[in-house]
């Protein structure tokens, strides 16, 4: 068929484009998964020609796709890259973009598929949608799909997310919109669905009758560093909870969808978010803890000083700047207890936790099963370890563990916790693909299953907003500061223990 595909990247000279998007598209090209013919068009204000953009991206590919890079394959991929200098605030830039796309697609007019990727700072999402609409670039007709991918953060609270949805919907149908959360492109996150819905052994015990509590952790050893000016406005709740952690939670808690399609999956996810118990001010205090690592405030100051003096290095595209604040209240660590008020999960605590400056990087889900109702073995040496556990290791180790009781051989019926281990790397050959590969391809193919719908995003903000509001209203307390490399503020451990539970941690994760 006479068909062309085009990906237009707004924010083409930004960090995300060089670090993630182009390496992902290059990998897809090497795997021969990109549709043919394809054009990748960069749009940003920097004035340069096609060759200058290709050269710049080649350097990024050498760095961020080092394992697969070769001069030969880059030459064949590089020829699909084109650059169009333009300003999101300038309607003429979009008129000329439209002409540029028509020229590139000449010969493929019968059927043309365009994907507009908004990898800019978030304040440009709305204006870009307006300009695309005004230039007629959002208009679909038979054989001509027009889709838009929007990076996170989608708004900074419920109001701003609703406003942005309003603007986007003036120009794009919901079915044309792909709100990206890169966690949903991770193989191990997708494997949660496979574990739950491609096996029959887990479903009967996947409920309040067998599960005591759930922990979802995304800890990072990195600090905020140069990203401090953005992070100062965001904090851990907006940066990690509203999107990544709540999205993982929906996969863990959703009812089985009837089909693997965007509507069926997203309908079930949104039901989970809408079933999360709302918290009063008092309940927020009881059900959440926060912290800030020592030295964070100096980073904010240093980063702002650095940005004032030099225009490079570039922060990530989503990053906007806040004023310096020696008394910053921004949390770099948070833990929260949620309840999902439905038949499956009623009264099962779900703990979400994320922090920067932790001892190691570790994203994991721990399903803590209830203890047997009665034990005839009085000789357990591991009683304090609680019940059996299912550990879903998202990263950096990618696998699944089951922790269960075994008899210690040659003992008088002494029992202890043992482990069954599954590891993706030893069971499958090849590199784990980056999540952007899967998500870019899905968006190009029109599969929105792994993208957030407007009602999901808004439901997630409804959960986060009350907590953020209360935190913003109070200064950090002494007990809320923690040392870099520690497991977070000590009161986070006391807090969960006071609720009758404990964190399950392993560091380093191998
Ligand atoms: C981003 C956050 O969305 O996710 C970062 O803005 C965070 O602060 C990152 O470090 C974590 O992603 P990953 O894939 O490295 O776990």
């Amino acid at each position: 068929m006479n068909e062309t595909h085009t990906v237009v990247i707004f924010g083409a000279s930004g960090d995300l484009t060089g670090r993630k998007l182009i390496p992902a598209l290059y990998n897809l090209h090497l795997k021969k998964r990109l549709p043919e013919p394809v054009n990748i068009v960069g749009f940003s204000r920097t004035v340069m020609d096609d060759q200058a953009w290709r050269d710049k991206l080649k350097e990024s590919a050498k760095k961020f796709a080092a394992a697969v890079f070769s001069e030969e394959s880059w030459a064949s991929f590089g020829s699909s890259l084109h650059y169009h200098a333009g300003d999101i605030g300038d309607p003429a830039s979009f008129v000329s973009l439209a002409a540029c796309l028509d020229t590139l697609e000449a010969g493929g007019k019968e059927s043309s598929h365009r994907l507009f990727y908004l990898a800019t700072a978030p304040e440009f999402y709305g204006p870009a949608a307006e300009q695309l609409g005004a230039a007629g670039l959002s208009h679909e007709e038979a054989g001509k799909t027009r889709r838009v991918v929007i990076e996170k953060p989608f708004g900074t609270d419920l109001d701003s997310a609703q406003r942005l949805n309003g603007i986007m919907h003036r120009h794009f149908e919901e079915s044309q919109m792909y709100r990206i959360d890169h966690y949903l492109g991770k193989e191990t996150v997708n494997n949660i669905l496979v574990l739950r819905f491609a096996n029959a052994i887990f479903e009967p015990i996947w409920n309040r009758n067998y599960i005591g509590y759930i922990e979802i952790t995304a800890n990072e050893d990195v600090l905020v560093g140069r990203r401090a000016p953005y992070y100062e406005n965001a904090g851990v709740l907006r940066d990690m909870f509203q999107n990544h952690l709540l999205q993982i939670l929906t996969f863990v808690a959703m009812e089985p969808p009837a089909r693997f399609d965007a509507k069926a999956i997203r309908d079930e996810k949104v039901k989970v978010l809408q079933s999360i118990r709302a918290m009063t001010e008092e309940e927020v205090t009881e059900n959440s803890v926060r912290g800030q690592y020592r030295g964070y405030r100096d980073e904010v100051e240093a980063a702002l000083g650095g940005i004032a003096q030099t225009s490079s290095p570039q922060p990530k595209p989503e990053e906007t700047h806040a004023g310096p604040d020696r008394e910053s209240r921004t949390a770099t660590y948070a833990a929260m207890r949620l309840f999902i008020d439905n038949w499956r999960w009623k009264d099962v605590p779900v703990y979400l936790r994320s922090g920067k400056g932790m001892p190691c990087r570790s994203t994991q889900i721990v399903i803590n099963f209830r203890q047997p109702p009665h034990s005839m073995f009085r000789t357990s040496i591991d009683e304090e370890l609680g019940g059996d556990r299912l550990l879903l290791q998202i990263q950096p180790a990618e696998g699944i563990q089951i922790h269960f009781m075994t008899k210690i051989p040659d003992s008088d019926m002494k029992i202890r916790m043992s482990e069954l281990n599954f590891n993706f790397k030893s069971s499958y050959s090849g590199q784990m693909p980056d999540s952007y590969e899967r998500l870019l391809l899905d968006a190009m193919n029109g599969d929105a299953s792994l993208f957030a719908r407007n009602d999901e995003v808004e439901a997630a903000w409804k959960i986060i907003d009350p907590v953020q509001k209360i935190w913003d209203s109070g200064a950090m307390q002494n007990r809320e500061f923690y040392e870099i490399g520690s497991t977070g503020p000590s009161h986070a451990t006391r807090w969960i223990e006071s609720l009758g539970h404990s964190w399950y941690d392993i560091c380093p994760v191998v």
Side-chain angles (χ1 to χ4, degrees):
M1 203 213 300
N2 193 6
E3 186 173 88
T4 58
H5 291 260
T6 307
V7 181
V8 182
I9 303 176
F10 292 93
S13 48
D15 184 63
L16 182 71
T17 302
R19 203 167 37 85
K20 291 288 183 186
L21 304 184
I22 294 298
L25 289 164
Y26 177 45
N27 267 294
L28 288 170
H29 165 80
L30 295 175
K31 293 176 187 171
K32 302 200 185 316
R33 294 189 189 155
L34 282 181
E36 290 280 344
V38 67
N39 288 302
I40 299 159
V41 179
F43 180 109
S44 73
R45 276 189 306 185
T46 316
V47 176
M48 58 181 146
D49 60 13
D50 287 1
Q51 195 51 48
W53 195 48
R54 288 175 187 170
D55 291 346
K56 180 175 149 81
L57 294 179
K58 183 173 167 182
E59 292 314 305
S60 304
K62 280 185 185 165
K63 194 164 159 196
F64 297 110
V68 293
F69 182 86
S70 77
E71 291 288 344
E72 201 187 3
S73 63
W74 179 262
S76 74
F77 174 71
S79 60
S80 56
L81 298 170
H82 309 274
Y83 186 76
H84 183 82
D87 186 338
I88 288 181
D90 173 23
S93 297
F94 285 76
V95 174
S96 58
L97 174 66
C100 159
L101 297 181
D102 285 343
T103 311
L104 284 173
E105 290 169 356
K109 288 254 167 65
E110 201 177 286
S111 185
S112 78
H113 306 287
R114 293 178 185 166
L115 183 71
F116 300 106
Y117 199 115
L118 305 187
T120 63
E123 61 263 34
F124 296 116
Y125 298 163
E130 304 268 20
Q131 298 281 16
L132 286 167
L137 287 165
S138 61
H139 177 71
E140 291 196 314
E141 52 190 78
K144 298 190 178 180
T145 60
R146 305 291 181 252
R147 303 187 178 115
V148 61
V149 179
I150 308 129
E151 263 295 329
K152 85 168 243 284
F154 196 91
T156 52
D157 57 13
L158 178 61
D159 280 354
S160 55
Q162 283 174 332
R163 271 199 307 279
L164 182 54
N165 271 328
I167 297 171
M168 302 290 309
H169 284 152
R170 283 209 287 277
H171 306 285
F172 292 92
E173 299 293 328
E174 179 61 27
S175 60
Q176 293 173 271
M177 291 175 59
Y178 293 72
R179 294 174 196 79
I180 202 164
D181 183 318
H182 77 279
Y183 267 56
L184 292 185
K186 290 184 191 282
E187 296 287 347
T188 42
V189 171
N190 280 284
N191 194 56
I192 301 169
L193 298 183
V194 176
L195 178 97
R196 290 193 56 202
F197 305 133
N199 299 296
I201 58 173
F202 297 108
E203 175 56 20
I205 55 170
W206 207 263
N207 56 52
R208 65 193 305 276
N209 300 326
Y210 293 90
I211 294 175
Y213 66 105
I214 296 172
E215 299 162 61
I216 303 179
T217 299
N219 279 342
E220 297 175 280
D221 50 355
V222 293
L223 304 181
V224 169
R226 264 188 323 115
R227 303 179 67 217
Y230 144 76
Y231 198 87
E232 180 58 6
N233 270 342
V236 66
L237 288 185
R238 294 191 180 101
D239 191 52
M240 295 294 291
F241 278 62
Q242 188 273 343
N243 34 67
H244 310 323
L245 290 184
L246 285 176
Q247 286 292 333
I248 294 181
L249 168 62
T250 61
F251 274 20
V252 172
M254 75 204 277
E255 294 303 313
R259 290 171 303 284
F260 194 94
D261 75 29
K263 179 165 176 5
I265 290 187
R266 300 192 298 180
D267 282 352
E268 294 306 338
K269 285 169 67 193
V270 81
K271 278 190 223 161
V272 173
L273 296 172
Q274 288 172 345
S275 307
I276 290 177
R277 196 180 299 168
M279 287 193 251
T280 61
E281 196 169 315
E282 209 170 65
E283 285 162 346
V284 166
T285 314
E286 279 166 22
N287 287 290
S288 65
V289 291
R290 66 169 169 175
Q292 188 187 81
Y293 62 77
R294 290 191 197 281
Y296 168 75
R297 290 173 178 184
D298 298 331
E299 281 184 339
V300 176
E301 219 159 76
L304 284 167
I307 283 161
Q309 287 155 17
T310 167
S311 56
S312 69
Q314 300 273 328
K316 280 175 69 178
E318 78 264 30
E319 309 188 342
T320 51
H321 303 156
D325 184 358
R326 287 301 305 163
E327 301 304 315
S328 166
R329 297 169 180 194
T330 300
T332 58
Y333 172 101
M336 190 187 287
R337 182 176 69 155
L338 298 173
F339 290 99
I340 304 167
D341 282 342
N342 63 20
W343 276 54
R344 188 186 286 269
W345 297 117
K346 183 78 178 171
D347 293 335
V348 176
V350 180
Y351 295 94
L352 305 184
R353 175 176 58 147
S354 178
K356 298 223 189 279
M358 297 284 107
C360 69
R361 179 172 184 239
S362 152
T363 305
Q364 64 178 25
I365 301 158
V366 188
I367 310 291
N368 293 284
F369 290 96
R370 292 188 190 282
Q371 305 237 16
H374 167 72
S375 178
M376 62 179 184
F377 306 108
R378 280 192 236 127
T379 51
S380 164
I381 60 166
D382 279 338
E383 253 159 29
E384 78 282 3
L385 291 181
D388 302 340
R389 255 182 241 118
L390 178 67
L391 191 63
L392 309 182
Q393 296 174 303
I394 305 297
Q395 60 187 26
E398 288 139 335
I400 298 174
Q401 290 180 5
I402 297 180
H403 297 182
F404 63 110
M405 291 294 179
T406 53
K407 180 181 180 300
I408 300 174
D410 203 18
S411 76
D412 174 22
M413 289 312 271
K414 280 201 168 73
I415 62 175
R416 69 171 306 155
M417 201 65 105
S418 298
E419 290 173 10
L420 269 179
N421 247 310
F422 161 78
N423 187 293
F424 275 95
K425 286 204 178 97
S426 50
S427 301
Y428 293 96
S429 59
Q431 288 273 96
M432 286 292 243
D434 187 81
S435 51
Y436 278 90
E437 280 184 41
R438 167 74 191 267
L439 295 173
L440 272 162
L441 203 57
D442 281 0
M444 289 177 88
N445 291 331
D447 181 350
S449 311
L450 299 176
F451 293 83
R453 207 167 55 189
N454 56 342
D455 50 354
E456 266 182 75
V457 171
E458 291 181 13
W461 280 122
K462 280 187 194 152
I463 298 161
I464 297 304
D465 275 4
V467 184
Q468 188 70 58
K469 198 166 141 220
I470 286 166
W471 287 7
D472 286 347
S473 66
M476 302 290 293
Q477 308 295 305
N478 272 340
R479 67 195 169 93
E480 292 174 331
F481 293 101
Y482 61 96
E483 301 302 328
I484 293 166
S486 71
T487 53
S490 55
H491 78 294
T493 306
R494 288 197 297 277
W495 169 74
I496 193 170
E497 286 172 359
S498 75
L499 298 170
H501 299 128
S502 57
W503 301 118
Y504 180 78
D505 282 321
I506 340 171
C507 253
V509 180
V510 283

